[in-house]
Amino acid sequence: MVIIESLRKQYGRTIACDIKRLTFNDGEIIGLVGNNGAGKTTLFRLMLDLTNADNGKVSLTSPSLPRRPDSTPVRINVAGSEDWKLFTGAYLDESFLIDYLTPEEYFEFVARLSCADRKTATEQLSGKSSWLDGCGIMGSGKLIRELSAGNRQKIGITAALLHTPSTVILDEPFNFLDPQSQARLINLLKDYNRQTGATIIVSSHNLANIAEICTRIILMENGTIINDIPNNGDTASSILHDYFQDSRQ
């Protein structure tokens, strides 16, 4: 679970994020949508403590954490602790990669960060890299920087899932992927959510993919939330279509 309270970030006169209260519940697949500059990436960077907030906080909970005596979950403030990284996986852009490594070397490095022994690291990789089969990524001997943008995207997403996080944050994960890879990613994330109960938060300009995968869609504009849409049976599609059609006029 992710709890956002009075979160604000401003650059000069531009308000990049201004959210009074927002909760992402356990097991939800949430889509963040909005035009360029809506504040989606800024929100992700605040959630991952990559940018300092001017005000407010982001707290995370996890089913793996102990509960208080009154059975309420323990909250971890991302700006005040590193513990949340143990159950959070994220990929925002290529700055998350170490491009002078091969994919195998990078995956082993990432896996070893979350476990103590090579055997467990190998098991983590074997369970999460199946969607890379047949892509020519594994065993090619190429460095990450020598791969296509789409294959680098696949590596970043796979690495985000290696340690089976209960919170997953992906910024524009469908970028650079061909249609077949996009379809496989949709199935991968749905299966991961079903098997683990993880909270998955995805931003994208691809409204069709967002509507297909997400159980709830957050529409952002100028750093604020202007609509929080349940997506039962693809009900959000018409709302999003009308909004973006009107924003063009």
Side-chain angles (χ1 to χ4, degrees), residues 111-112 114-125 162:
R112 291 290 295 274
S114 60
C115 63
D117 60 275
R118 184 180 296 271
K119 180 177 181 293
T120 305
T122 302
E123 291 172 351
Q124 286 179 337
L125 176 57
L162 274 188

Side-chain angles (χ1 to χ4, degrees), residues 15-237:
I15 298 174
C17 182
D18 188 8
I19 298 175
K20 303 299 185 226
R21 175 94 183 174
L22 181 63
T23 300
F24 300 135
N25 298 307
D26 293 338
E28 288 188 307
I29 305 179
I30 299 104
L32 292 187
V33 299
N35 291 312
N36 290 335
K40 304 183 297 296
T41 299
T42 297
L43 176 57
F44 279 165
R45 293 184 66 82
L46 290 165
M47 290 169 61
L48 295 169
D49 196 32
L50 297 173
T51 299
N52 294 326
D54 297 331
N55 188 58
K57 66 178 181 178
V58 178
S59 303
L60 278 75
T61 71
S62 171
S64 63
L65 292 173
R67 289 180 170 258
R68 298 188 180 95
D70 62 358
S71 297
T72 58
V74 172
R75 292 189 187 183
I76 298 177
N77 183 350
V78 300
S81 172
E82 300 289 315
D83 293 345
W84 58 273
K85 295 180 180 179
L86 297 175
F87 57 83
T88 303
Y91 182 69
L92 302 191
D93 54 45
E94 291 189 10
S95 68
F96 280 52
L97 303 175
I98 305 175
D99 66 359
Y100 57 81
L101 299 179
T102 65
E104 290 87 349
E105 291 169 338
Y106 177 63
F107 288 140
E108 181 174 338
F109 169 77
V110 172
R112 291 290 295 274
L113 290 177
S114 60
C115 63
D117 60 275
R118 184 180 296 271
K119 180 177 181 293
T120 305
T122 302
E123 291 172 351
Q124 286 179 337
L125 176 57
S126 64
K128 301 298 192 312
S129 63
S130 60
W131 84 302
L132 300 179
D133 295 342
C135 298
I137 295 176
M138 306 300 287
S140 68
K142 292 184 177 179
L143 304 180
I144 291 174
R145 63 185 174 215
E146 297 173 325
L147 300 174
S148 68
N151 283 342
R152 293 196 297 271
Q153 186 85 344
K154 294 172 188 176
I155 290 169
I157 295 167
T158 300
L161 301 177
L162 274 188
H163 61 294
T164 317
S166 58
T167 301
V168 179
I169 298 172
L170 302 174
D171 193 13
E172 297 288 352
F174 301 105
N175 274 2
F176 313 117
L177 299 185
D178 58 46
Q180 183 180 49
S181 296
Q182 291 184 36
R184 293 187 71 184
L185 176 57
I186 288 172
N187 291 331
L188 173 73
L189 294 178
K190 283 183 174 179
D191 288 345
Y192 184 83
N193 170 263
R194 189 163 44 244
Q195 293 166 9
T196 67
T199 302
I200 301 176
I201 310 164
V202 177
S203 77
S204 181
H205 288 139
N206 189 317
L207 298 183
N209 287 345
I210 283 287
E212 180 175 352
I213 194 174
C214 294
T215 57
R216 176 183 168 200
I217 297 174
I218 306 295
L219 179 57
M220 296 188 67
E221 182 178 291
N222 297 325
T224 64
I225 296 169
I226 62 172
N227 208 342
D228 189 337
I229 312 164
N231 190 34
N232 302 316
D234 201 24
T235 55
S237 292

